[in-house]
Amino acid sequence: MAPRMHVVATAGHVDHGKSTLVRALTGMEPDRLTEERRRGLTIELGYAWTTLPSGERVAFVDVPGHERFLGTMLAGVGPVPAVMFVVAADEGWMPQSEEHLVALRTLGVRHGLLAVTRADLADPVPVLEDARDRLVKAGLGEVEALAVSGRTGQGLDGLRAALDRLVAALPAPDPRAPVRLWIDRAFSVRGSGTVVTGTLPAGRVEVGDELELDGEPVRVRALESLKEHVESVTGVARVALNLRGRIAPQRGHAIVTPGAWTATSLADVRVTMAEGARGPLPARLTAHIGSASVPCEVRPLGAEAEGAAARLRLSRPLPLHLGDTLLLRDPGRGQDELRVLARATVLDVRPPELRRRGAARERAKALADASADAASLLRTHLLLRDGELAAMGCPPEGRPVAAGWHADPDHWSQLSTRLPEVVRRYAADHPLEPGMPVEAARHELGLPDRRLVTALVRPPLTVADGRITTTGRVVAGTAGLPAPVARAVRALLDDLATAPFQAPDAGRLAALGLGPRELAAAVRAGALLRVAEGVVLAPGADARAAALLARLPQPFTVSQARSALGTSRRVAVPLLEHLDRRGLTERVDEVHRRCRPAG
């Protein structure tokens, strides 16, 4: 297990000494590129770490301060829970200081401290007071503010102690949370293959884990944290993963727990304009989350307003949960214009299609009171499985209504009301069927699973043999047949009560109104026994016949059986064949049969 770790990003204007300060704190060089060291300008993300006085370890993600590299800065800050904001005492608050602060506020970063650098070159107090006020107003709270010098070492011990207090106040991440590791570097190592690095915000990664990258499986072959080989690591942590898989990872891709995220290119969001930004939003922007930077189209769903609803169409799918925050940026704006425009809070990762006129306005109204929970999702989607809710970031609350399905309570109540009417209507349209097939009810109600139908069945409805019946259709002794058919069957059974083996002929059946469909319905319901086409008897007549035939001298002929049963050859022959099929009798030769012993 890796030692406990925290991750902090830097932020601030270019050339205010972020990299110098990280270098002084850690003794490591965060600028990895030769060009960066030659120009004294951070271009790419840098990484360094140290052990604090308490023994806690802190890793720094050093970001570029130049306005041309705002996208790279966002990739470094995106997955990180805390920031060390750097302002130079000899220059004070600068344009890129403001843009970085707007980005942090928009991303929802709420933990940080302020380091006023170059305290050896100018009085740091005025800058310290001004910058601290700005950070407090931005929502970072009562941040600690310290004057330091990365060149002389002034104030570094105090800064280390402040970092200790900062990381101690950070909320503890959930080690059981699903993994989403945003990749900030991807490269190949000879003899090892593909390696990716990133900040793990929560969850656990172990050697041998099967994860997903853009829907493709990848396996963790080896794992490092702060250059140390480990078997397992939990967030928050800087990690390097040696992967085996078919896909080539890049910055902005995410490695995730399979089935725990919804990969989507369409999301409904609540838009909150950044401080100083003015609407309306351009139709095309860049969305940032984690280390991802993705072009997107923005479609307002209602009136332009603070907290208005919009639909984002991303250029490629991203693994998202409800409640995720995306930063919307306009990379085409000039240097004097604010490029961080808005925060987009994800409200639905599987939004419904907007087909009808006015559908967008209706959707905006539905989203006005939406929150990032299962209840809001179910109001839109009506029915969702356990796994779908979990993949949307909303583990289900309460018991499922059936087989892992959860339902919006109002929708479920409406279905419960509709089902009896659907069954009654089917009975009226199909009077000879013993009930409505469950599959037909599923289709009529527009349900995705037959088990939802059976879960809706309440008395007087019942389910048997894949059909739904209502007890209101049952006539005593006729197993739910329609009333006219039931009366005809009762009359026929009265005939057979005195002559049980004298099956009615076609004329008698026609007189009773029992045609082929009616007879088939009665046989399905168990009200009659069909021994052959046009030959029907009372239920159980075959067993009674076998008992009578067993009293004859064995073996016996058809004629002897006909006499014993008091019937005609028209009935006796098919009845004996029926008894043969049931195993109650068997042929001895071409003429004779005998009863088979019981059992």
Side-chain angles (χ1 to χ4, degrees), residues 176-219:
R176 299 167 300 175
V179 169
R180 181 175 60 178
L181 177 70
W182 293 103
I183 297 171
D184 51 37
R185 287 184 68 205
F187 51 93
S188 182
V189 175
R190 178 174 295 181
S192 296
T194 301
V195 175
V196 301
T197 69
T199 300
L200 179 67
R204 181 187 302 273
V205 177
E206 297 182 349
V207 173
D209 277 353
E210 296 286 343
L211 302 172
E212 279 188 356
L213 174 61
D214 276 2
E216 293 288 336
V218 293
R219 188 171 69 84

Short mmCIF file of all heavy atoms in Angstrom, two decimals, residues 176-219:
data_model
loop_
_atom_site.label_atom_id
_atom_site.label_comp_id
_atom_site.label_asym_id
_atom_site.label_seq_id
_atom_site.Cartn_x
_atom_site.Cartn_y
_atom_site.Cartn_z
N ARG A 176 -13.90 3.33 -1.75
CA ARG A 176 -14.79 2.40 -2.45
C ARG A 176 -15.44 3.03 -3.67
O ARG A 176 -16.20 2.37 -4.37
CB ARG A 176 -15.88 1.93 -1.49
CG ARG A 176 -15.37 1.19 -0.26
CD ARG A 176 -16.45 1.03 0.78
NE ARG A 176 -16.94 2.35 1.23
CZ ARG A 176 -17.95 2.52 2.06
NH1 ARG A 176 -18.59 1.47 2.55
NH2 ARG A 176 -18.33 3.74 2.41
N ALA A 177 -15.16 4.30 -3.91
CA ALA A 177 -15.77 4.99 -5.04
C ALA A 177 -15.28 4.38 -6.36
O ALA A 177 -14.17 3.85 -6.44
CB ALA A 177 -15.42 6.48 -5.00
N PRO A 178 -16.10 4.45 -7.42
CA PRO A 178 -15.64 3.97 -8.72
C PRO A 178 -14.49 4.82 -9.24
O PRO A 178 -14.44 6.04 -9.01
CB PRO A 178 -16.88 4.10 -9.61
CG PRO A 178 -17.72 5.14 -8.94
CD PRO A 178 -17.47 4.98 -7.47
N VAL A 179 -13.58 4.17 -9.92
CA VAL A 179 -12.37 4.85 -10.41
C VAL A 179 -12.68 5.65 -11.67
O VAL A 179 -13.37 5.16 -12.59
CB VAL A 179 -11.26 3.82 -10.70
CG1 VAL A 179 -10.09 4.46 -11.46
CG2 VAL A 179 -10.78 3.21 -9.39
N ARG A 180 -12.21 6.89 -11.70
CA ARG A 180 -12.14 7.67 -12.94
C ARG A 180 -10.83 8.44 -12.89
O ARG A 180 -10.73 9.46 -12.23
CB ARG A 180 -13.33 8.61 -13.09
CG ARG A 180 -13.28 9.42 -14.40
CD ARG A 180 -14.52 10.27 -14.62
NE ARG A 180 -14.74 11.25 -13.56
CZ ARG A 180 -15.74 12.13 -13.56
NH1 ARG A 180 -16.62 12.14 -14.56
NH2 ARG A 180 -15.87 12.99 -12.56
N LEU A 181 -9.85 7.93 -13.58
CA LEU A 181 -8.51 8.52 -13.60
C LEU A 181 -8.33 9.27 -14.92
O LEU A 181 -8.21 8.65 -15.99
CB LEU A 181 -7.45 7.43 -13.45
CG LEU A 181 -6.00 7.92 -13.53
CD1 LEU A 181 -5.64 8.74 -12.30
CD2 LEU A 181 -5.04 6.75 -13.68
N TRP A 182 -8.33 10.59 -14.86
CA TRP A 182 -8.10 11.40 -16.07
C TRP A 182 -6.61 11.39 -16.40
O TRP A 182 -5.78 11.74 -15.56
CB TRP A 182 -8.58 12.82 -15.85
CG TRP A 182 -10.06 12.94 -15.69
CD1 TRP A 182 -10.75 13.13 -14.53
CD2 TRP A 182 -11.05 12.88 -16.73
NE1 TRP A 182 -12.10 13.19 -14.78
CE2 TRP A 182 -12.31 13.04 -16.13
CE3 TRP A 182 -10.99 12.70 -18.11
CZ2 TRP A 182 -13.50 13.04 -16.85
CZ3 TRP A 182 -12.17 12.70 -18.84
CH2 TRP A 182 -13.40 12.85 -18.21
N ILE A 183 -6.29 11.00 -17.60
CA ILE A 183 -4.89 10.87 -18.02
C ILE A 183 -4.33 12.25 -18.35
O ILE A 183 -4.92 13.00 -19.14
CB ILE A 183 -4.78 9.95 -19.24
CG1 ILE A 183 -5.25 8.53 -18.87
CG2 ILE A 183 -3.36 9.92 -19.78
CD1 ILE A 183 -5.38 7.62 -20.07
N ASP A 184 -3.19 12.61 -17.74
CA ASP A 184 -2.53 13.86 -18.12
C ASP A 184 -1.22 13.63 -18.86
O ASP A 184 -0.67 14.55 -19.46
CB ASP A 184 -2.34 14.79 -16.92
CG ASP A 184 -1.67 14.12 -15.73
OD1 ASP A 184 -0.78 13.28 -15.95
OD2 ASP A 184 -2.05 14.43 -14.58
N ARG A 185 -0.70 12.40 -18.82
CA ARG A 185 0.45 12.04 -19.65
C ARG A 185 0.28 10.61 -20.12
O ARG A 185 -0.26 9.77 -19.38
CB ARG A 185 1.77 12.13 -18.87
CG ARG A 185 2.27 13.51 -18.56
CD ARG A 185 3.63 13.42 -17.86
NE ARG A 185 4.68 12.92 -18.76
CZ ARG A 185 5.79 12.32 -18.35
NH1 ARG A 185 6.00 12.10 -17.06
NH2 ARG A 185 6.68 11.92 -19.22
N ALA A 186 0.72 10.33 -21.33
CA ALA A 186 0.71 8.97 -21.87
C ALA A 186 1.97 8.80 -22.69
O ALA A 186 2.29 9.63 -23.55
CB ALA A 186 -0.54 8.72 -22.72
N PHE A 187 2.72 7.73 -22.43
CA PHE A 187 3.97 7.51 -23.15
C PHE A 187 4.28 6.02 -23.14
O PHE A 187 3.60 5.22 -22.48
CB PHE A 187 5.11 8.32 -22.53
CG PHE A 187 5.26 8.16 -21.04
CD1 PHE A 187 6.11 7.21 -20.51
CD2 PHE A 187 4.51 8.95 -20.18
CE1 PHE A 187 6.24 7.05 -19.14
CE2 PHE A 187 4.64 8.81 -18.80
CZ PHE A 187 5.49 7.85 -18.27
N SER A 188 5.30 5.65 -23.86
CA SER A 188 5.69 4.26 -23.97
C SER A 188 7.08 4.07 -23.36
O SER A 188 7.97 4.91 -23.53
CB SER A 188 5.72 3.83 -25.45
OG SER A 188 6.05 2.47 -25.57
N VAL A 189 7.23 2.99 -22.61
CA VAL A 189 8.51 2.65 -21.98
C VAL A 189 9.00 1.34 -22.59
O VAL A 189 8.25 0.35 -22.62
CB VAL A 189 8.35 2.50 -20.46
CG1 VAL A 189 9.65 2.03 -19.83
CG2 VAL A 189 7.90 3.82 -19.84
N ARG A 190 10.22 1.35 -23.07
CA ARG A 190 10.77 0.15 -23.71
C ARG A 190 10.78 -1.00 -22.70
O ARG A 190 11.25 -0.86 -21.58
CB ARG A 190 12.18 0.41 -24.22
CG ARG A 190 12.84 -0.81 -24.86
CD ARG A 190 14.19 -0.48 -25.48
NE ARG A 190 14.03 0.45 -26.59
CZ ARG A 190 15.06 0.90 -27.33
NH1 ARG A 190 16.30 0.52 -27.02
NH2 ARG A 190 14.84 1.73 -28.32
N GLY A 191 10.24 -2.12 -23.14
CA GLY A 191 10.20 -3.31 -22.29
C GLY A 191 8.97 -3.37 -21.40
O GLY A 191 8.70 -4.42 -20.81
N SER A 192 8.25 -2.26 -21.27
CA SER A 192 7.06 -2.24 -20.41
C SER A 192 5.79 -1.93 -21.18
O SER A 192 4.71 -2.40 -20.84
CB SER A 192 7.23 -1.21 -19.28
OG SER A 192 8.29 -1.57 -18.43
N GLY A 193 5.91 -1.09 -22.21
CA GLY A 193 4.74 -0.75 -23.00
C GLY A 193 4.14 0.57 -22.57
O GLY A 193 4.85 1.50 -22.17
N THR A 194 2.82 0.67 -22.60
CA THR A 194 2.11 1.92 -22.39
C THR A 194 2.06 2.28 -20.90
O THR A 194 1.71 1.45 -20.06
CB THR A 194 0.69 1.83 -22.94
OG1 THR A 194 0.75 1.54 -24.34
CG2 THR A 194 -0.08 3.12 -22.73
N VAL A 195 2.39 3.54 -20.62
CA VAL A 195 2.30 4.07 -19.26
C VAL A 195 1.49 5.35 -19.31
O VAL A 195 1.68 6.19 -20.20
CB VAL A 195 3.70 4.35 -18.66
CG1 VAL A 195 3.58 5.01 -17.30
CG2 VAL A 195 4.49 3.06 -18.56
N VAL A 196 0.58 5.51 -18.37
CA VAL A 196 -0.19 6.74 -18.25
C VAL A 196 -0.05 7.25 -16.82
O VAL A 196 0.16 6.48 -15.88
CB VAL A 196 -1.68 6.53 -18.59
CG1 VAL A 196 -1.85 6.02 -20.01
CG2 VAL A 196 -2.36 5.59 -17.61
N THR A 197 -0.16 8.57 -16.67
CA THR A 197 -0.14 9.17 -15.34
C THR A 197 -1.38 10.02 -15.15
O THR A 197 -1.99 10.48 -16.11
CB THR A 197 1.11 10.03 -15.12
OG1 THR A 197 1.02 11.20 -15.95
CG2 THR A 197 2.37 9.26 -15.44
N GLY A 198 -1.73 10.26 -13.89
CA GLY A 198 -2.87 11.12 -13.59
C GLY A 198 -3.05 11.24 -12.10
O GLY A 198 -2.35 10.60 -11.30
N THR A 199 -4.00 12.08 -11.72
CA THR A 199 -4.37 12.25 -10.32
C THR A 199 -5.60 11.41 -10.05
O THR A 199 -6.65 11.63 -10.65
CB THR A 199 -4.64 13.73 -10.00
OG1 THR A 199 -3.47 14.49 -10.26
CG2 THR A 199 -5.07 13.89 -8.56
N LEU A 200 -5.47 10.45 -9.15
CA LEU A 200 -6.60 9.61 -8.76
C LEU A 200 -7.34 10.31 -7.62
O LEU A 200 -6.84 10.42 -6.51
CB LEU A 200 -6.09 8.24 -8.28
CG LEU A 200 -7.16 7.25 -7.80
CD1 LEU A 200 -8.05 6.81 -8.95
CD2 LEU A 200 -6.50 6.04 -7.13
N PRO A 201 -8.57 10.82 -7.88
CA PRO A 201 -9.25 11.60 -6.84
C PRO A 201 -9.91 10.76 -5.77
O PRO A 201 -10.10 11.22 -4.65
CB PRO A 201 -10.30 12.39 -7.64
CG PRO A 201 -10.56 11.54 -8.85
CD PRO A 201 -9.28 10.83 -9.16
N ALA A 202 -10.30 9.54 -6.10
CA ALA A 202 -10.99 8.66 -5.14
C ALA A 202 -10.94 7.24 -5.68
O ALA A 202 -10.54 7.00 -6.82
CB ALA A 202 -12.44 9.12 -4.92
N GLY A 203 -11.38 6.29 -4.87
CA GLY A 203 -11.38 4.90 -5.30
C GLY A 203 -10.03 4.24 -5.08
O GLY A 203 -9.11 4.81 -4.48
N ARG A 204 -9.92 3.03 -5.59
CA ARG A 204 -8.72 2.23 -5.40
C ARG A 204 -8.32 1.57 -6.73
O ARG A 204 -9.18 1.09 -7.47
CB ARG A 204 -8.98 1.13 -4.37
CG ARG A 204 -7.78 0.23 -4.07
CD ARG A 204 -8.18 -0.93 -3.17
NE ARG A 204 -8.74 -0.47 -1.92
CZ ARG A 204 -8.02 -0.17 -0.84
NH1 ARG A 204 -6.70 -0.30 -0.87
NH2 ARG A 204 -8.61 0.25 0.26
N VAL A 205 -7.03 1.56 -7.00
CA VAL A 205 -6.49 0.86 -8.16
C VAL A 205 -5.47 -0.15 -7.66
O VAL A 205 -4.63 0.18 -6.81
CB VAL A 205 -5.83 1.82 -9.17
CG1 VAL A 205 -5.21 1.05 -10.32
CG2 VAL A 205 -6.85 2.82 -9.70
N GLU A 206 -5.54 -1.38 -8.18
CA GLU A 206 -4.61 -2.42 -7.79
C GLU A 206 -4.00 -3.06 -9.03
O GLU A 206 -4.61 -3.07 -10.10
CB GLU A 206 -5.32 -3.50 -6.95
CG GLU A 206 -5.89 -2.98 -5.64
CD GLU A 206 -6.55 -4.08 -4.82
OE1 GLU A 206 -6.75 -5.19 -5.38
OE2 GLU A 206 -6.86 -3.84 -3.65
N VAL A 207 -2.82 -3.60 -8.86
CA VAL A 207 -2.19 -4.36 -9.94
C VAL A 207 -3.09 -5.54 -10.29
O VAL A 207 -3.57 -6.25 -9.41
CB VAL A 207 -0.79 -4.84 -9.52
CG1 VAL A 207 -0.19 -5.78 -10.59
CG2 VAL A 207 0.14 -3.65 -9.28
N GLY A 208 -3.33 -5.73 -11.58
CA GLY A 208 -4.21 -6.80 -12.04
C GLY A 208 -5.63 -6.36 -12.29
O GLY A 208 -6.42 -7.12 -12.86
N ASP A 209 -5.98 -5.13 -11.89
CA ASP A 209 -7.36 -4.65 -12.10
C ASP A 209 -7.70 -4.61 -13.59
O ASP A 209 -6.86 -4.25 -14.43
CB ASP A 209 -7.53 -3.24 -11.53
CG ASP A 209 -7.81 -3.24 -10.05
OD1 ASP A 209 -7.99 -4.35 -9.49
OD2 ASP A 209 -7.86 -2.15 -9.45
N GLU A 210 -8.93 -4.97 -13.90
CA GLU A 210 -9.48 -4.81 -15.25
C GLU A 210 -10.30 -3.54 -15.26
O GLU A 210 -11.34 -3.45 -14.59
CB GLU A 210 -10.34 -6.02 -15.62
CG GLU A 210 -9.59 -7.34 -15.71
CD GLU A 210 -8.72 -7.43 -16.97
OE1 GLU A 210 -8.94 -6.63 -17.90
OE2 GLU A 210 -7.83 -8.29 -16.99
N LEU A 211 -9.86 -2.54 -16.01
CA LEU A 211 -10.55 -1.27 -16.12
C LEU A 211 -10.94 -1.03 -17.56
O LEU A 211 -10.78 -1.91 -18.40
CB LEU A 211 -9.65 -0.14 -15.59
CG LEU A 211 -9.19 -0.31 -14.13
CD1 LEU A 211 -8.15 0.75 -13.77
CD2 LEU A 211 -10.37 -0.24 -13.17
N GLU A 212 -11.50 0.14 -17.85
CA GLU A 212 -11.91 0.47 -19.21
C GLU A 212 -11.33 1.81 -19.63
O GLU A 212 -11.20 2.73 -18.82
CB GLU A 212 -13.44 0.54 -19.32
CG GLU A 212 -14.11 -0.81 -19.45
CD GLU A 212 -15.59 -0.70 -19.73
OE1 GLU A 212 -16.13 0.43 -19.76
OE2 GLU A 212 -16.22 -1.76 -19.92
N LEU A 213 -11.02 1.89 -20.91
CA LEU A 213 -10.53 3.12 -21.52
C LEU A 213 -11.27 3.29 -22.84
O LEU A 213 -11.09 2.49 -23.76
CB LEU A 213 -9.02 3.05 -21.73
CG LEU A 213 -8.35 4.20 -22.48
CD1 LEU A 213 -8.55 5.51 -21.73
CD2 LEU A 213 -6.86 3.93 -22.66
N ASP A 214 -12.14 4.30 -22.91
CA ASP A 214 -12.98 4.51 -24.10
C ASP A 214 -13.76 3.25 -24.47
O ASP A 214 -13.87 2.88 -25.64
CB ASP A 214 -12.13 4.97 -25.29
CG ASP A 214 -11.89 6.47 -25.26
OD1 ASP A 214 -12.36 7.14 -24.32
OD2 ASP A 214 -11.24 6.99 -26.19
N GLY A 215 -14.26 2.57 -23.47
CA GLY A 215 -15.07 1.38 -23.70
C GLY A 215 -14.29 0.12 -23.96
O GLY A 215 -14.88 -0.96 -24.06
N GLU A 216 -12.97 0.20 -24.06
CA GLU A 216 -12.14 -0.96 -24.31
C GLU A 216 -11.49 -1.43 -23.00
O GLU A 216 -11.07 -0.61 -22.18
CB GLU A 216 -11.03 -0.64 -25.32
CG GLU A 216 -11.54 -0.36 -26.73
CD GLU A 216 -12.03 -1.61 -27.41
OE1 GLU A 216 -11.60 -2.72 -27.04
OE2 GLU A 216 -12.87 -1.48 -28.33
N PRO A 217 -11.39 -2.74 -22.79
CA PRO A 217 -10.78 -3.22 -21.54
C PRO A 217 -9.27 -2.99 -21.53
O PRO A 217 -8.58 -3.14 -22.54
CB PRO A 217 -11.11 -4.72 -21.56
CG PRO A 217 -11.31 -5.06 -23.00
CD PRO A 217 -11.87 -3.83 -23.64
N VAL A 218 -8.77 -2.60 -20.36
CA VAL A 218 -7.33 -2.49 -20.14
C VAL A 218 -7.02 -3.13 -18.79
O VAL A 218 -7.86 -3.13 -17.89
CB VAL A 218 -6.84 -1.02 -20.16
CG1 VAL A 218 -6.97 -0.42 -21.54
CG2 VAL A 218 -7.60 -0.18 -19.14
N ARG A 219 -5.83 -3.67 -18.68
CA ARG A 219 -5.42 -4.31 -17.43
C ARG A 219 -4.21 -3.58 -16.87
O ARG A 219 -3.30 -3.19 -17.61
CB ARG A 219 -5.09 -5.78 -17.65
CG ARG A 219 -4.85 -6.54 -16.34
CD ARG A 219 -4.74 -8.04 -16.59
NE ARG A 219 -3.53 -8.38 -17.30
CZ ARG A 219 -2.34 -8.56 -16.72
NH1 ARG A 219 -2.24 -8.44 -15.41
NH2 ARG A 219 -1.29 -8.89 -17.43
#
